[in-house]
Amino acid sequence: MDSKETVFSGMEYVETGPNRTRVNANSTRNINATMQENKPSLLSKNSLKLYLCLLVSYLVSTMNGYDGSLMGAVNDMEQYQKSFGLNGKGSSTGIVFMIYNLGQITAFPAIGWLADGYGRRWGMFIGCAIVVVGTAVQTTANSLGQFQGGRFILGFGAAIASGSAPPYAVELSHPAYRGTQAGLFNVCWYLGSIIAGWCCVGSNRHMSNSWAWRTPTVVQGAIPAIVAILVFFIPESPRWLIARGRDEESIEILAKYHGEGDRHSPVVKAEFREMREQIGTTCSDKIWWDYRDLVNTRAARYRLGLVIAVAFFGQWSGNNVVSYYMPTMFQQTGIESSDTRLVLNGIYPVFCMFAAVWGATLLDKLGRRPMLIGATAFTVLCFSIITAGTAVSSTSKGASYAVIAFIYIFGMAFSWAYTPLQTLYSTEVLETRTRAKGSGLNFLFVNIAMCVNTFAAPVAMEAIGWRYYIVFIVWNCFEVFVIWMWFVETAGHTLEQIAEIFENEDPVKTSLETRKRNKNRGNSV
């Protein structure tokens, strides 16, 4: 047994060792029916352990949420503006915000190299460690140049960690509950936003010097430090282990977290068989600079197109402007008190987080496409009311209240669908061999989109005010059309089945038909 170990017996078995893995896949039993028959208890001991492992990866998502809320809040503080000679608007403010995204763009080549070459956990660890360094540089800044340098380092580290964590969450989640378990990853964006918002409220009220903005900046490094400490207490991605020929370790992890500790569980056998058939051991994920697998076939280009679309739709729907410039938007409605604007800024992510959690629990039931189409169409209505209300807010107090209400409603509608799906969908449509590099590309395009937003928004808001919101009304209508025409439905399929769907002539039609068949088959069990 030193050179070979029989893992499974009966109709399906696997042998691991020098001769690699051999799978006898005589069974044609549908994996979806297997999942329905063998769903684990959501409150079992091993399920609770799985949640704790996933929670560590979820915390990575707090970094970008924290920065968005932090910069929106400190940008409205007089102490911050005096420290660096800023006025909260214009191109100088846009550059300060954008430098974080430039750091994320620069990190792009390192994401796939670390996550594919050394594992998802090492990617998270190194990224979080860099964020802690960036926090120290930013907090101690007495010049705008040093502050911007700290933000660049923060963005660089956040991109590396954020490129590794979503693949980890998707690949470790139980296939029967992947929508909710992996969808909750991005929900923690709002946890970071809430912490930052209320930290800024407290520091602004009780500190009159530069520590009003330095204190929340110090806190920015706390959660990344926690992740860096905990990350090596959680298991590696089983799919990454299979790609490295470490099948036995992968089976142990699948058995513990998906099979209630039973190596012979039908779920474990079905999962491992599909993974083993799908994942290669000589693919471009072994070469950090080789991105050919993302574009070398029609199916690969289709996947990449969806990744790019999700990246831009997730940032150009108006949410990025609301996140970073909410206090400025409130000021446009006539709210002059900085403290009041910061309180409203702090309450906003609380509502959004509840909406995002609710949305994540519905992903498998409603499907990805219906939620994206419905939420995007509703944001068109929200921005239409925000635009009209802001236009007349100077003469109508009721219009000001309506704008504030619909800023919140917009955020909740967007969060209901886009927050859980923004990272989940882009990682689902990618194959295991391209998931880390594709996630890196996703963050590259996300930050390109954010750079345009964060630089253009303050200039546009200073030049044309509320008329800038009309752009989002038109763009979101375009998004609805694209999602309807080309977005594949990923709910109701395993990650390996999703990869096969893209090989069909009409992936959208195939995904909808197979989901319906799988759902009917599961209901008949």
Side-chain angles (χ1 to χ4, degrees):
M1 297 301 290
D2 291 336
S3 62
K4 178 176 71 174
E5 179 180 349
T6 301
V7 180
F8 301 143
S9 60
M11 291 294 290
E12 301 173 64
Y13 64 90
V14 177
E15 293 180 351
T16 61
N19 296 325
R20 298 296 300 123
T21 300
R22 180 160 62 90
V23 179
N24 180 7
N26 292 331
S27 173
T28 58
R29 186 175 182 83
N30 185 274
I31 190 172
N32 299 89
T34 302
M35 298 304 165
Q36 292 297 324
E37 288 180 334
N38 298 275
K39 277 187 175 182
S41 168
L42 291 173
L43 296 177
S44 70
K45 182 179 178 181
N46 287 331
S47 291
L48 294 175
K49 289 179 180 178
L50 175 61
Y51 304 153
L52 292 175
C53 295
L54 292 172
L55 178 60
V56 176
S57 68
Y58 294 168
L59 292 177
V60 172
S61 182
T62 64
M63 292 189 289
N64 289 320
Y66 192 101
D67 189 79
S69 184
L70 171 72
M71 291 309 299
V74 300
N75 187 57
D76 199 49
M77 293 182 183
E78 291 183 10
Q79 302 94 320
Y80 166 79
Q81 294 175 7
K82 289 179 180 179
S83 292
F84 301 116
L86 300 171
N87 63 2
K89 298 179 181 179
S91 59
S92 296
T93 294
I95 291 172
V96 172
F97 281 42
M98 186 177 66
I99 202 73
Y100 180 87
N101 306 118
L102 292 177
Q104 295 199 318
I105 291 172
T106 306
F108 162 66
I111 294 174
W113 169 54
L114 290 169
D116 277 337
Y118 298 94
R120 313 316 193 203
R121 294 182 304 170
W122 271 106
M124 287 188 276
F125 171 79
I126 292 173
C128 289
I130 294 173
V131 169
V132 173
V133 173
T135 299
V137 174
Q138 181 174 272
T139 303
T140 58
N142 290 308
S143 67
L144 186 59
Q146 182 179 339
F147 188 81
Q148 291 174 328
R151 289 191 53 70
F152 181 89
I153 297 171
L154 279 167
F156 189 92
I160 292 174
S162 299
S164 302
Y168 180 87
V170 168
E171 292 170 357
L172 190 65
S173 294
H174 193 288
Y177 305 108
R178 190 183 68 241
T180 299
Q181 290 181 355
L184 286 171
F185 170 84
N186 214 39
V187 171
C188 283
W189 190 98
Y190 284 115
L191 177 60
S193 182
I194 291 168
I195 295 171
W198 288 103
C199 187
C200 288
V201 169
S203 64
N204 187 58
R205 282 182 175 177
H206 301 293
M207 300 176 183
S208 58
N209 54 23
S210 67
W211 279 102
W213 64 264
R214 292 185 198 273
T215 299
T217 304
V218 171
V219 178
Q220 189 167 15
I223 292 180
I226 293 171
V227 174
I229 294 170
L230 295 179
V231 73
F232 291 111
F233 291 94
I234 61 177
E236 184 54 84
S237 159
R239 286 174 170 84
W240 183 84
L241 291 171
I242 290 174
R244 289 303 180 281
R246 295 160 63 178
D247 298 337
E248 179 64 22
E249 294 175 64
S250 173
I251 292 166
E252 289 291 339
I253 292 169
L254 291 174
K256 181 175 182 179
Y257 296 103
H258 294 182
E260 296 293 346
D262 182 8
R263 294 164 60 90
H264 300 281
S265 162
V267 173
V268 175
K269 289 198 278 189
E271 277 194 281
F272 184 81
R273 182 181 68 249
E274 277 207 337
M275 292 179 192
R276 201 69 198 86
E277 290 173 352
Q278 184 70 235
I279 299 171
T281 56
T282 58
C283 303
S284 66
D285 62 326
K286 312 299 182 297
I287 308 172
W288 69 269
W289 45 263
D290 190 349
Y291 284 77
R292 287 177 296 176
D293 281 341
L294 285 164
V295 295
N296 61 3
T297 66
R298 171 187 169 276
R301 291 188 291 273
Y302 196 127
R303 293 187 193 95
L304 182 59
L306 292 180
V307 169
I308 294 171
V310 170
F312 280 94
F313 291 0
Q315 300 304 318
W316 284 4
S317 299
N319 57 301
N320 191 257
V321 171
V322 170
S323 174
Y324 274 82
Y325 297 101
M326 185 183 296
T328 302
M329 294 177 73
F330 287 145
Q331 190 174 25
Q332 289 177 337
T333 67
I335 299 175
E336 297 298 331
S337 169
S338 174
D339 190 62
T340 301
R341 294 195 298 266
L342 290 178
V343 170
L344 290 172
N345 184 68
I347 294 172
Y348 175 81
V350 177
F351 284 91
C352 291
M353 186 171 181
F354 278 113
V357 171
W358 180 37
T361 64
L362 297 174
L363 286 173
D364 289 326
K365 182 178 181 180
L366 299 181
R368 283 46 159 172
R369 279 171 51 91
M371 290 184 65
L372 284 171
I373 292 170
T376 308
F378 191 72
T379 62
V380 173
L381 173 64
C382 291
F383 254 107
S384 297
I385 295 173
I386 291 171
T387 303
T390 306
V392 299
S393 60
S394 60
T395 58
S396 172
K397 196 169 184 179
S400 297
Y401 293 146
V403 169
I404 294 171
F406 272 90
I407 286 175
Y408 278 74
I409 293 170
F410 162 83
M412 293 174 69
F414 179 89
S415 303
W416 182 74
Y418 276 91
T419 297
L421 280 173
Q422 194 167 348
T423 53
L424 171 62
Y425 190 80
S426 62
T427 49
E428 282 184 324
V429 300
L430 293 164
E431 297 177 287
T432 297
R433 60 183 176 178
T434 60
R435 191 163 289 124
K437 289 176 180 175
S439 293
L441 273 174
N442 176 53
F443 278 96
L444 172 66
F445 288 111
V446 162
N447 284 283
I448 290 173
M450 290 180 71
C451 279
V452 174
N453 262 345
T454 53
F455 183 76
V459 176
M461 293 176 78
E462 187 176 44
I464 60 176
W466 59 266
R467 295 172 184 83
Y468 179 52
Y469 305 150
I470 297 173
V471 173
F472 301 110
I473 297 174
V474 177
W475 175 258
N476 289 5
C477 289
F478 170 72
E479 288 183 4
V480 172
F481 173 74
V482 172
I483 295 168
W484 176 268
M485 290 295 296
W486 289 290
F487 272 45
V488 168
E489 180 57 72
T490 59
H493 307 97
T494 67
L495 295 178
E496 286 68 36
Q497 288 172 339
I498 293 170
E500 294 173 2
I501 285 172
F502 283 96
E503 302 298 331
N504 288 272
E505 187 66 28
D506 188 345
V508 173
K509 182 179 179 182
T510 302
S511 69
L512 295 173
E513 290 177 348
T514 54
R515 185 191 182 222
K516 185 177 180 180
R517 286 198 301 269
N518 289 338
K519 190 174 182 180
N520 290 337
R521 187 178 290 117
N523 290 336
S524 66
V525 171

